[in-house]
Each structure stands twice: as structure tokens, then as C-alpha cells.
Amino acid sequence: MLSGKLWPAHPKPHNGECLSSWLVRCAHSNGLKLQTFCRLEFGSNYQLWNRDIDRHIPQWLLGKISEKVSVSCEELEKHMLSLFEGRLFPELTLSGQLRWLCPLVIKHRLHNGYGMQFCPQCLAEGAEPYYRLSWRVGFYTFCPYHQIIMHDRCIECGASVSFHRCELGKPGIYKDANMACCWKCGFDLRQSPNHHVRFWNKVLFERWAAQLRAIDRQFVNCGKFDFDRLILLHQLCRLIVSKSLAPDLQSYICNLCGQPERELIKTKIAFEQRSLAERHYVISLAKWLLLKYPRRILLAIGVRVIRRNWLYRDIELNDKSLLAVCAVR
Ligand SMILES: [Zn+2]
Ligand SMILES: [Zn+2]
């Protein structure tokens, strides 16, 4: 039944939907379980789901999908992490930590990381649930539409989001609705609690939300999106959580902006692998320091809570404004 030029059912990807989510929907729309669908279409030798397919998919496979749904490869790539190449991180490598990307940490088809975040309300909207590419972004810690904190796991059993597994061990069940359910315990993720974001600084959160909406629009009509500033934001986040590089930075910012100081987990893991709540908190502090740029950064350097050389360590110095900070003595 799949031998035609096009798949019998070939739903188009939703706006901002990630490729993996859409492939699951394609399988279900054709009345097949995902594993069966992939075996019939891509052969049993190719294991699609033991890798992060939004990060990398071989060109032959992308070409095949493109033909079967009549959507160009270029269009499909907008639903993959390659969309962020040269924007959030310099180059899309096959492995290793990418700046601002929450990793899935896949082992034996299991997601051991919590790299797919979700907004329960977004998931509940529209005709069918689907997962957005932007939800993989490390600073996408709240939903800019519903103004609630994202989730990154099932609140019932703690399992990561692995919608490609939602039908495993459930013979005959492949309805779309299952994509919104925890693959492990069946909890409907749309029922996850709504924790409203505390907008403690209006300008800060408005700009942050605008940034998130721009990512959802695949950066179309986003005006002058300052990608270089995201490099600096990342550096600051790394410094705030580092007890060795900038031990006083967190309390310095908290004193000035009136936010509570929190105990941060002592770990050497990448910033993107820290808990969602911790990322949200740290990013908000870093963003506060970046308001009125570069004044607050320079003041922090002046009182020695930030060392200038740590600020631009390990990064590409193509940010003119950052160079300006580095040059001020
Ligand atoms: Zn939402
Ligand atoms: Zn669960």
C-alpha cells in the first residue's frame, strides 16, 4: 500500500514541527505503527530511531521522504536542527554538545536525556498533538504564548518525552492522540500542571518571549535577531553556575535585581543538561545583566565579579559588541 509515488496519506508538517514528530504522524495517518511503517519504507537494515533524527538523517533518506510527501528537502530541513546552524551554534556536528541544544542522550532507542521539552497547553491545541523543534532549545524554558514554564518529563513517572515509543507494547493502538501520552505510564502530558512564569522584569521577559516566538517562526520576519548576543548569554550562564570561575556573580546579580539566591547543582555537565527550572532561573539572571548592554557587564567586570578573559573564553570573537566589552580597559 505504500508503493505508490506518494504515501497514501501524506500530512504536511505543521509550522515549527520537528521532523521526528511529523514522521510519527505520517506513519499513523497511513494506519501503521511507526516501526512497521519505517521497516516497510526504509528497510529493516536501517535503524532510524536509535539516533537523534532531528539532528541528522542521511541524505538518501531525506530524499526518499521528500518524494513520498512531495515536500522539498530544503523545506524538510527547516524542521530539523540544521535550522539552528550558524544561529544558535556555529556548525551542526553529528555528535557532541551543541550550544543551546538540549540533547536527547539516546541509548538503545531510549532517551536518557530530557532534551524534548513541551508546553502542555500547546500540545492540547489544534486538531492533533505535535512536538516543536524549538522545544529542543535550551533557553526555551517557558511558553511565550501561554506564559507557563515548560515541562521536560512525565510528572507521573519521570520518564523523558519519547513520542516514537508511545505505541510500543500496545498491539493495534496507533492513534495520534497517543503522541501526547507518556510512553512509559500512559499519563496524558496535556494534563501536566501549568506553572505560570513570574515576569519579575517586564522588559526582560517581553524580549525573551519575542526571541522564542521568532524561533517558532523559523526566524522569518524576526527583524534583527541578535545571534551574537546569544553567545554572550551562554557564556554568562556558564559563569553564573561556575563556582570556580565566577563564585560571586550569582549573588552580585541577585543583590542588584532583587531575586532570591538559589543553591545551584554542583556539576560539570553542559549548561543545556541542567534541570529546566535551574536553566530558567540562571538565564533570567544572565538576561538581566545583559539589559542596558554593555553597561551592567562593564560594571560587573569593574567590581571583579566577572573576569574579562573568562567572558570570551572558548568562543568565536565575531561579536562586535562583545569585542567592544573586551577592549574596554
Ligand atoms: Zn504553550
Ligand atoms: Zn509517565
Short mmCIF file of all heavy atoms in Angstrom, two decimals, residues 154-159 182-187, ligand 2:
data_model
loop_
_atom_site.label_atom_id
_atom_site.label_comp_id
_atom_site.label_asym_id
_atom_site.label_seq_id
_atom_site.Cartn_x
_atom_site.Cartn_y
_atom_site.Cartn_z
N CYS A 154 7.59 13.35 32.22
CA CYS A 154 6.26 13.00 32.73
C CYS A 154 6.22 13.26 34.23
O CYS A 154 7.12 12.80 34.95
CB CYS A 154 6.01 11.52 32.43
SG CYS A 154 4.59 10.84 33.28
N ILE A 155 5.23 13.97 34.70
CA ILE A 155 5.20 14.27 36.15
C ILE A 155 4.76 13.04 36.96
O ILE A 155 4.96 12.98 38.15
CB ILE A 155 4.29 15.46 36.52
CG1 ILE A 155 2.89 15.25 35.97
CG2 ILE A 155 4.87 16.79 36.09
CD1 ILE A 155 1.84 15.76 36.91
N GLU A 156 4.17 12.06 36.29
CA GLU A 156 3.72 10.87 37.00
C GLU A 156 4.86 9.89 37.27
O GLU A 156 5.00 9.38 38.36
CB GLU A 156 2.63 10.15 36.18
CG GLU A 156 1.26 10.79 36.28
CD GLU A 156 0.65 10.69 37.67
OE1 GLU A 156 0.46 9.56 38.18
OE2 GLU A 156 0.39 11.76 38.24
N CYS A 157 5.66 9.63 36.23
CA CYS A 157 6.68 8.59 36.37
C CYS A 157 8.10 9.09 36.13
O CYS A 157 9.06 8.35 36.30
CB CYS A 157 6.38 7.41 35.45
SG CYS A 157 6.76 7.74 33.73
N GLY A 158 8.23 10.34 35.68
CA GLY A 158 9.57 10.90 35.49
C GLY A 158 10.24 10.53 34.17
O GLY A 158 11.39 10.92 33.92
N ALA A 159 9.52 9.81 33.30
CA ALA A 159 10.14 9.41 32.02
C ALA A 159 10.32 10.61 31.10
O ALA A 159 9.54 11.57 31.15
CB ALA A 159 9.26 8.37 31.34
N CYS A 182 2.53 9.86 27.89
CA CYS A 182 3.82 9.33 28.31
C CYS A 182 3.97 7.91 27.78
O CYS A 182 3.06 7.09 27.95
CB CYS A 182 3.91 9.35 29.82
SG CYS A 182 5.31 8.43 30.46
N TRP A 183 5.08 7.62 27.15
CA TRP A 183 5.27 6.29 26.55
C TRP A 183 5.39 5.21 27.61
O TRP A 183 5.10 4.05 27.35
CB TRP A 183 6.54 6.28 25.68
CG TRP A 183 7.81 6.47 26.47
CD1 TRP A 183 8.38 7.65 26.82
CD2 TRP A 183 8.65 5.45 27.02
NE1 TRP A 183 9.51 7.44 27.54
CE2 TRP A 183 9.72 6.10 27.69
CE3 TRP A 183 8.62 4.05 27.02
CZ2 TRP A 183 10.73 5.41 28.35
CZ3 TRP A 183 9.64 3.35 27.68
CH2 TRP A 183 10.67 4.03 28.33
N LYS A 184 5.74 5.63 28.83
CA LYS A 184 6.01 4.63 29.85
C LYS A 184 4.77 4.32 30.70
O LYS A 184 4.45 3.16 30.92
CB LYS A 184 7.15 5.13 30.75
CG LYS A 184 7.88 4.04 31.48
CD LYS A 184 9.16 4.58 32.07
CE LYS A 184 9.93 3.47 32.77
NZ LYS A 184 11.12 4.01 33.43
N CYS A 185 4.10 5.37 31.17
CA CYS A 185 2.98 5.11 32.08
C CYS A 185 1.63 5.51 31.49
O CYS A 185 0.58 5.27 32.09
CB CYS A 185 3.20 5.82 33.42
SG CYS A 185 2.93 7.59 33.37
N GLY A 186 1.65 6.15 30.31
CA GLY A 186 0.39 6.49 29.66
C GLY A 186 -0.23 7.80 30.12
O GLY A 186 -1.29 8.20 29.63
N PHE A 187 0.41 8.48 31.06
CA PHE A 187 -0.14 9.76 31.53
C PHE A 187 -0.28 10.74 30.36
O PHE A 187 0.62 10.85 29.52
CB PHE A 187 0.78 10.35 32.61
CG PHE A 187 0.34 11.71 33.10
CD1 PHE A 187 -0.74 11.84 33.94
CD2 PHE A 187 1.02 12.86 32.70
CE1 PHE A 187 -1.16 13.10 34.38
CE2 PHE A 187 0.62 14.12 33.14
CZ PHE A 187 -0.47 14.23 33.98
ZN ZN B 2 4.88 8.60 32.74
#
